[in-house]
Amino acid sequence: MTRIKKAAVIGAGVMGAAIAGHLANAGIRTVLLDIVPKELTEKEKAKGLTLEDRVVRNRIAQTGKDRLFKEKPSPLFHKKVADLIETGNLEDDLHKLGEVDWVIEAIVENLNIKQSLFADVEKVWKPGIIVSSNTSGISIREMVASRSEEFRSHFLGTHFFNPPRYMKLLEIIPTEATDPTLVSEMKAFAESVLGKGVVMAKDTPNFIANRIGVYGLQVTFQKMLEEGLGPDEVDTVTGRAMGRPKSATFRTLDLVGLDTFVHVSDNVRESVTDAEEKKAFEVPELLKEMVNKGWLGAKSGQGFFKRVKTEKGKEILVLDPQTKEYRPRKKLKAPSLEMSKRAKTVKEQLRALVYADDPAGRLAWYISKKVLLYSAARIPEIADDIVSVDRAMRWGFNWDLGPFEFWDAIGVEKSVARMKEEGETIPPLVEELLASGAKSFYEKSAEEDRVFYPGGKFTRVEEHPKVINLAKLKEQGKLIKGNKGASLIDIGDDVALLEFHSPKNAIATDIIQMINTAVKEVSDNYRGLVIGNQGSTFCVGANLMLILMEAQDQNWPELDLMVRQFQKTMGSLRYMDKPVVAAPFNMALGGGVEVSLPCDRIQASSELYMGLVETGVGLIPGGGGNKELLLRWMDGVDPKDRIALQPLVNHVFETIAMAKVSTSAMEARDYKFLRREDGITMNGDHLLYDAKQQVLALDAAGYRPPQPKKIPVVGETGYNTLRLGAYGMLQSGYISEHDYKIATKLAYVLAGGTVPEGTWVDEQYLLDIEREAFLSLAGEPKSQQRMMHMLTKNKPLRN
C-alpha cells in the first residue's frame, strides 16, 4: 500500500482546510498553501506590517487553519492534531510541494486557473509524488492535458465530500493516463488510513454522487413549484420517510449552500450534450433570485429556512415559493406517511409510501421514478456497475438505500409496469434485467450477494477483506447462542463476538444474562471475545425506563439485585481467563462505557462519543464505572505518594460529575476512557476485524488475566476536598442543590468513604458503596424527574 507520510493541500478555503484537517486526523503532516494577499487588512496596517511580512503572506492559509478550531462540528479529532498542519503561500513555499508524498489541489472551480496551477506544480514536482484534484466536477483529464506523460501517470481526481471528517465517500477518478497500480494503492490507503468508503468514478460531469444527487434535488425543486407546495411540506416526504437524512431536500440545500448548488448544476448543464438532460439541470428562477439576494442558506443566515426571534423564543420560518415571504412551518399530512412510519421493514415502509394515492405518495413516487430512471440511464456512462452508484449515494448523500437497492425494495417489475403506463422510457439496463428473468438487481443468499451487470450476468459483490458482516454470519449458521437483547456469534479463528441488539442497545437483564453466557462459552471453547455490533450506536447505557419503574414502585430489593448482577457481570469480564476486546463506536454512554472499561483492550472507532453521563439523569455510574475509571487514572502512580493521588481523584470526579463526553476516540484518551495500548480504527467498517486481531494477538502472546488488587483511597480528607470544590460551585450558582447532592455521593464513592487517608480497600468495597449511592439517588424525587425528562424529551433536566 502507498505510504503517505507528508501531504500538501493547495487552497485553504472551507474544503481545502478541512481536507488538511482530516489528513492531520490520520497522523499525516500537511502543508497548507494559498495565494499571497494583494492588500493589507486594517489590523495589519495598525500593526505596521507590510505585504512583504511573512505573517501577511501566509495570512490566507493561516486563516483557513484557524477556522478549523471554530467550526462545529469540529473538523478535527483533537485540537493537538492541528500541530501537524504547517501553513505557507504559493510564492515562497512552492518548492515544498517537491518534499511531500501527495499534493491535493482544492482551489476555485475554474479550469484555466487549475491548468495554470498544475503547470507551476510540475516545475517542483519529483517523480513518484502523487498529485490529485478535489474538484467536484471539472474534467480531470483536461486539467493536466498539457503536462508531461510521467506527471499525468501520477495524477487523478480525489473528490472528498464535505465535511471530510464526517462524510464517508471519496470518489477516486483516474484518467486513461493514470498508473493503474497507483489507483489501487490510493484506494487501499484512503480506505484504511483515511477511513473512507471509496468509489471508482469516471471522468464525467460531476462524477457519480453529485450527478445523481443534484439531479434528484432539481427534480424535487421543479415538482414543488408545479404542485404549489412549500419546502417544509416537501421535506416531510423526502426525509426519513423515503430513507433519506432528516435534512431531506431543502434543509440539505441550505446546508450545502444555494450558490454551491447552482454552480454544480450549471457545471452539468454546460457539460452534457443531451437536450433533455440539459433542461433537467436548468436552475429555477426562484433559486437564481435567492442567490442574487444573498439568501445562500445556513452560511448567510437565511435560505429556504430562516431562524428568527419571536415572543416565544427562537422560531424557524420557511420561504413560501409563491409569495417569496417567510411564514411559519407546516407539515404535509397524508395517510401514507403514517403507514410508512408503522412499517416493520424498509421494504414495507417504501412501498407504503410510493404506491399510495395521496399527496405524499404521489410526490414520493414521482421523485423516486425520475431518480431511478436517470440512475439506470447513466450506466455505463458514469460507472461500470450499479454497486458503485448505490455506495456513492449511501456514503455521499447518506441515503439508507442507493437507487438500485431502492428499486429492488419497491419491486422492479411492479414499478416498471407503472412507469411504462405513464409513458416513461425504460433504460436498456432495466429492460435487460427483466428480459433475463431476474426480478431484482441484487440476489442475496447466506453464502454471497450477487449483483446484475450490464451484459446480462450476475457477479459477486466484492467486499473489503476487513469487513465482518454479522447479519451474514448469522444467516450462515454462525450464531452460537442468543436471546432478545444479545447474540453470541462465531466470527472465525476461534473468536466469538457478543452483539447487543436491544432498542438503542440499552442494557437490561437479557444482555446481562448473555454476557454471562458468553463468558462461560468463550472460556470453555474459544480463544477470546469481541464485544461489538453493527447497529447505529454501540450502547446508550442501562435501560433507564426499567430503573425508573423499579424506583417509582420502591422495589428496592429488585433494583439492588439488578445493580449487583451488573457489577458482578462486569467483574467476570475483567477476570475472565480469555482476552476480551470491546469495539465501541458512535455513542458509548453510561453502561456502554462500563462494559468497555473492564475489557483487556478497547479497539475504538475514531468517531466515538464516550462518557459516563449518569449525573445527567440524577444518578452516578452503578456498574463499576467509578472504580474502573479510578483504576485507569491511578495506573502507573506510586500508591504511597498521597500527594499525587488527590489530583488524580479530582480528575475522575470532574469527568463523571460533569458528565464529560469525548467527541472522538483521540479525545477519549484525554479522559482515560482509552489507554495508550488501546487501538483506534479510522474506517468503521473495519472495526470488528481490528478488534478480532487484538484478541488473536493477546492470545498468541500467552494471555494471562489480571488479578484483583487493593486500591489506596484518599478517604475522609479527599472526600472533604471534593465536597468543598462542589460546594464552591453551588455557592457560585454553577450547580443546583440536587447537583450538589449527586456530587457529594460521587465524592464519597471515589474517596472510598470516610476511612483514613491512604487506606487500602478491595474492589468489592468500592462496588458496595457505589451501589448504595446509586440506589439512594434513584429514590430521590428530583432524580426521578431527571430520568423521566430524559426519557420523554431526550435531553437532561437541571432541576
Side-chain angles (χ1 to χ4, degrees):
M1 184 172 74
T2 297
R3 283 183 62 80
I4 294 173
K5 294 179 182 176
K6 191 171 182 182
V9 178
I10 305 173
V14 171
M15 197 63 190
I19 291 170
H22 192 60
L23 294 173
N25 287 336
I28 299 167
R29 290 197 162 276
T30 304
V31 182
L32 179 62
L33 304 180
D34 211 307
I35 58 172
V36 174
K38 290 185 170 56
E39 53 187 44
L40 295 168
T41 64
E42 291 303 317
K43 281 186 180 179
E44 288 165 344
K45 288 175 186 174
K47 288 179 181 177
L49 296 170
T50 73
L51 288 173
E52 295 308 309
D53 283 303
R54 186 74 172 174
V55 68
V56 174
R57 294 173 73 78
N58 290 354
R59 185 222 308 151
I60 296 175
Q62 187 62 44
T63 301
K65 178 180 174 178
D66 292 344
R67 197 188 310 115
L68 297 174
F69 297 105
K70 299 170 188 171
E71 288 183 11
K72 291 187 178 178
S74 175
L76 305 174
F77 286 162
H78 196 289
K79 285 182 179 179
K80 67 184 180 186
V81 305
D83 293 343
L84 294 173
I85 302 172
E86 170 193 348
T87 57
N89 68 76
L90 284 165
E91 290 179 20
D92 304 323
D93 303 302
L94 190 69
H95 67 278
K96 291 182 180 179
L97 301 181
E99 301 165 0
V100 303
D101 304 303
W102 180 20
V103 176
I104 306 169
E105 169 271 311
I107 64 170
V108 63
E109 291 284 70
N110 179 298
L111 179 60
N112 291 334
I113 296 174
K114 288 180 191 287
Q115 287 173 332
S116 175
L117 174 69
F118 288 122
D120 289 338
V121 171
E122 188 169 13
K123 291 172 188 172
V124 296
W125 179 80
K126 291 172 186 168
I129 296 174
I130 302 156
V131 184
S132 70
S133 171
N134 181 61
T135 179
S136 58
I138 291 177
S139 171
I140 305 298
R141 186 186 310 105
E142 288 181 32
M143 285 184 207
V144 290
S146 302
R147 307 277 53 80
S148 70
E149 186 178 339
E150 191 171 12
F151 185 90
R152 285 185 286 119
S153 73
H154 284 74
F155 186 79
L156 68 164
T158 50
H159 180 214
F160 289 82
F161 273 62
N162 194 23
R165 170 183 168 181
Y166 300 97
M167 293 303 291
K168 184 171 179 174
L169 181 62
L170 175 68
E171 291 176 321
I172 289 184
I173 311 101
T175 70
E176 59 278 4
T178 313
D179 179 352
T181 303
L182 173 72
V183 175
S184 58
E185 287 181 350
M186 280 299 288
K187 180 176 185 289
F189 167 80
E191 288 169 337
S192 296
V193 180
L194 301 182
K196 293 296 170 188
V198 174
V199 164
M200 304 307 299
K202 294 189 177 184
D203 192 6
T204 52
N206 285 36
F207 314 128
I208 299 175
N210 276 344
R211 181 79 169 267
I212 292 169
V214 171
Y215 174 84
L217 291 167
Q218 282 279 28
V219 164
T220 307
F221 199 124
Q222 288 156 6
K223 191 65 175 171
M224 174 187 75
L225 298 177
E226 280 175 30
E227 299 294 326
L229 296 168
D232 47 349
E233 294 169 301
V234 173
D235 277 3
T236 311
V237 180
T238 60
R240 295 306 303 145
M242 285 180 67
R244 309 270 179 88
K246 283 182 182 176
S247 56
T249 301
F250 292 96
R251 276 168 62 207
T252 296
L253 281 172
D254 271 3
L255 290 169
V256 168
L258 273 56
D259 52 340
T260 303
F261 177 72
V262 168
H263 171 78
V264 176
S265 289
D266 284 345
N267 185 57
V268 181
R269 185 173 49 80
E270 290 163 11
S271 304
V272 297
T273 53
D274 180 78
E276 194 175 326
E277 191 173 5
K278 273 187 179 293
K279 187 179 177 186
F281 283 92
E282 278 181 12
V283 177
E285 284 302 317
L286 173 62
L287 200 49
K288 289 179 185 174
E289 283 179 43
M290 292 173 73
V291 171
N292 289 337
K293 287 180 180 177
W295 298 359
L296 307 179
K299 62 186 172 186
S300 67
Q302 70 185 95
F304 289 103
F305 297 93
K306 178 182 179 182
R307 191 184 292 269
V308 296
K309 286 183 180 178
T310 66
E311 293 174 4
K312 298 175 185 175
K314 287 181 181 176
E315 186 182 354
I316 297 173
L317 303 179
V318 65
L319 185 74
D320 186 309
Q322 277 73 46
T323 65
K324 296 173 187 168
E325 301 286 336
Y326 287 91
R327 60 163 173 78
R329 291 180 297 170
K330 61 186 178 185
K331 289 187 175 182
L332 185 66
K333 292 187 178 173
S336 61
L337 290 169
E338 292 305 314
M339 291 282 287
S340 69
K341 272 183 196 171
R342 293 199 291 268
K344 291 181 180 176
T345 66
V346 175
K347 185 184 288 188
E348 289 173 6
Q349 172 191 327
L350 295 176
R351 290 185 178 195
L353 182 63
V354 300
Y355 292 126
D357 189 15
D358 64 23
R362 289 190 290 273
L363 179 65
W365 165 255
Y366 180 82
I367 294 166
S368 302
K369 174 182 73 169
K370 288 296 183 184
V371 170
L372 297 181
L373 290 169
Y374 185 76
S375 300
R378 300 279 76 76
I379 302 285
E381 179 198 343
I382 63 173
D384 288 325
D385 61 280
I386 66 172
V387 176
S388 295
V389 174
D390 282 340
R391 287 176 175 170
M393 300 317 297
R394 280 194 277 113
W395 296 341
F397 277 74
N398 289 327
W399 292 4
D400 290 352
L401 301 175
F404 298 96
E405 293 164 324
F406 188 104
W407 214 329
D408 280 356
I410 66 170
V412 180
E413 279 187 311
K414 182 177 180 179
S415 59
V416 169
R418 180 172 170 184
M419 289 171 187
K420 285 181 176 177
E421 284 173 18
E422 293 173 359
E424 300 288 354
T425 303
I426 308 302
L429 177 73
V430 186
E431 293 282 23
E432 197 176 12
L433 174 83
L434 295 175
S436 74
K439 297 190 185 326
S440 62
F441 289 101
Y442 290 89
E443 288 182 348
K444 303 198 173 189
S445 69
E447 289 68 40
E448 64 177 19
D449 292 347
R450 301 194 312 148
V451 63
F452 188 75
Y453 263 73
K457 60 178 182 180
F458 277 86
T459 305
R460 186 170 182 259
V461 176
E462 293 298 326
E463 283 289 1
H464 195 285
K466 287 188 178 180
V467 171
I468 293 174
N469 187 320
L470 297 182
K472 190 69 72 181
L473 286 173
K474 286 195 270 193
E475 286 176 22
Q476 293 168 1
K478 301 294 184 182
L479 178 68
I480 303 166
K481 290 184 179 173
N483 62 24
K484 192 176 178 183
S487 295
L488 188 63
I489 305 163
D490 185 336
I491 58 172
D493 297 315
D494 291 328
V495 177
L497 178 137
L498 181 65
E499 173 198 33
F500 298 171
H501 44 66
S502 61
K504 293 187 180 177
N505 291 332
I507 299 169
T509 311
D510 48 7
I511 287 180
I512 296 294
Q513 288 170 350
M514 191 50 61
I515 294 174
N516 288 317
T517 299
V519 168
K520 185 175 187 313
E521 183 70 30
V522 172
S523 180
D524 291 345
N525 301 308
Y526 290 84
R527 293 168 68 182
L529 176 68
V530 172
I531 301 176
N533 64 75
Q534 290 172 325
S536 60
T537 192
F538 177 72
C539 175
V540 296
N543 187 320
L544 193 59
M545 177 61 81
L546 194 60
I547 294 168
L548 178 60
M549 285 169 59
E550 298 292 0
Q552 286 177 331
D553 291 344
Q554 298 187 359
N555 195 350
W556 304 119
E558 183 62 32
L559 194 53
D560 179 68
L561 180 62
M562 279 169 54
V563 180
R564 281 177 190 270
Q565 285 177 333
F566 193 8
Q567 290 179 338
K568 187 178 177 183
T569 301
M570 296 307 100
S572 69
L573 284 177
R574 170 175 269 283
Y575 297 113
M576 185 178 159
D577 61 352
K578 300 288 176 68
V580 184
V581 176
F585 64 95
N586 196 349
M587 284 195 291
L589 304 175
V593 179
E594 290 180 304
V595 167
S596 302
L597 296 185
C599 296
D600 299 293
R601 291 283 188 279
I602 294 175
Q603 183 69 34
S605 168
S606 57
E607 294 298 340
L608 181 64
Y609 300 84
M610 194 174 200
L612 292 163
V613 295
E614 286 83 354
T615 58
V617 290
L619 303 169
I620 66 167
N626 305 289
K627 181 255 298 182
E628 289 293 339
L629 197 57
L630 199 58
L631 285 172
R632 284 173 177 244
W633 275 91
M634 288 181 170
D635 189 35
V637 175
D638 183 356
K640 294 173 187 172
D641 187 353
R642 294 181 188 180
I643 296 172
L645 287 181
Q646 186 66 51
L648 301 178
V649 177
N650 294 351
H651 275 299
V652 179
F653 176 76
E654 189 178 301
T655 301
I656 299 174
M658 297 179 71
K660 289 187 176 181
V661 176
S662 70
T663 57
S664 69
M666 198 176 285
E667 194 177 76
R669 283 195 166 135
D670 290 353
Y671 301 134
K672 291 206 179 346
F673 295 134
L674 298 189
R675 298 158 296 193
R676 191 185 300 274
E677 61 267 31
D678 292 327
I680 296 176
T681 296
M682 287 291 284
N683 192 323
D685 291 344
H686 303 172
L687 180 61
L688 297 183
Y689 173 89
D690 289 347
K692 177 182 167 183
Q693 299 313 304
Q694 286 262 34
V695 168
L696 294 172
L698 287 167
D699 176 66
Y703 176 77
R704 292 287 180 271
Q707 296 301 311
K709 56 186 176 184
K710 295 239 176 193
I711 304 157
V713 293
V714 292
E716 187 171 16
T717 307
Y719 169 53
N720 289 332
T721 300
L722 294 174
R723 200 169 49 160
L724 186 64
Y727 185 73
M729 292 184 75
L730 173 67
Q731 292 299 102
S732 304
Y734 287 112
I735 62 174
S736 69
E737 287 279 358
H738 193 57
D739 288 325
Y740 178 66
K741 181 176 281 189
I742 298 165
T744 57
K745 297 278 186 183
L746 176 63
Y748 187 85
V749 173
L750 293 175
T754 52
V755 297
E757 183 184 6
T759 301
W760 290 74
V761 301
D762 59 29
E763 291 180 40
Q764 190 57 51
Y765 169 81
L766 288 178
L767 290 174
D768 288 342
I769 61 174
E770 171 186 280
R771 189 176 66 256
E772 288 164 12
F774 180 91
L775 292 169
S776 69
L777 285 169
E780 292 282 343
K782 286 190 176 179
S783 286
Q784 292 177 14
Q785 287 169 15
R786 289 189 179 193
M787 286 186 254
M788 181 59 77
H789 194 268
M790 179 61 76
L791 288 165
T792 54
K793 307 285 187 183
N794 199 31
K795 58 184 179 182
L797 171 69
R798 289 294 176 199
N799 54 352

